[in-house]
Amino acid sequence: LGQEHLAESRVQPALPKMDEVGPGPIWHMIGRVQSNKVRKIVGRFSWIHSVDQTELLERIHRVVVETDVATPRVLLQVNVTGEEEKAGFAPDAVAAALAHATALPSIDVVGLMTMARLESDPETARVAFRALRELLEEANREAWYRTPLAHLSMGMSGDLEVAVEEGATLVRVGSALFESV
């Protein structure tokens, strides 16, 4: 249907879909990445939105080096809401994570990702989205990474307008596309 970018949140259901669709789309892994699934992701997904720990950065780096595949674009997941059930770096740990990533030549961090609280009013997500944008701006101003970060992955079908207003460059709209089918 002309879509150039497709995303999946889980590896196992993604791989057969990728094979069925064939070459062409750029695939994004938007779900939590388990260390034991990195070999299945690297080389298949061009973007990984949900890198939530430095150990995962190291694992991705090692697999890229060992397999000699294209370096995926990585976004660090940040838990700006502080919810215990959500993964991600604490905002005050992002500078150290980016410094760590700078030392890994096969890692290409291009931005930050967050998940806002699930609320019925999309306006409640604005605080989280604004906090992530401000964190990215600070990272670029203070040169926490070897290159400027360009992307903010935030917002889903129910709050994407607010996310875009706050600077999102990547939004997840799966339910808007598939729940009406």
Side-chain angles (χ1 to χ4, degrees), residues 36-136:
N36 65 343
K37 303 280 195 230
V38 169
R39 284 198 183 276
K40 293 180 180 184
I41 291 170
V42 171
R44 301 286 310 261
F45 290 87
S46 299
W47 294 68
I48 304 172
H49 290 236
S50 48
V51 175
D52 60 356
Q53 45 190 297
T54 55
E55 295 80 9
L56 188 54
L57 285 168
E58 292 170 2
R59 178 84 171 125
I60 293 167
H61 168 72
R62 279 194 310 274
V63 170
V64 168
V65 169
E66 290 169 8
T67 59
D68 195 32
V69 297
T71 300
R73 293 178 175 176
V74 168
L75 292 103
L76 299 185
Q77 182 172 351
V78 183
N79 184 351
V80 295
T81 62
E83 294 171 83
E84 287 185 27
E85 65 276 4
K86 286 192 177 160
F89 292 97
D92 63 359
V94 171
L98 288 168
H100 191 87
T102 296
L104 303 171
S106 292
I107 292 292
D108 182 18
V109 179
V110 297
L112 304 176
M113 182 274 253
T114 198
M115 302 284 292
R117 292 182 191 274
L118 291 175
E119 302 278 344
S120 59
D121 179 8
E123 237 357 90
T124 60
R126 188 175 299 279
V127 173
F129 297 154
R130 182 172 293 145
L132 191 69
R133 177 181 41 82
E134 290 172 351
L135 187 60
L136 180 131

Side-chain angles (χ1 to χ4, degrees), residues 156-168:
M156 297 187 293
S157 297
D159 56 17
L160 71 94
E161 290 89 358
V162 173
V164 170
E165 289 170 5
E166 291 298 335

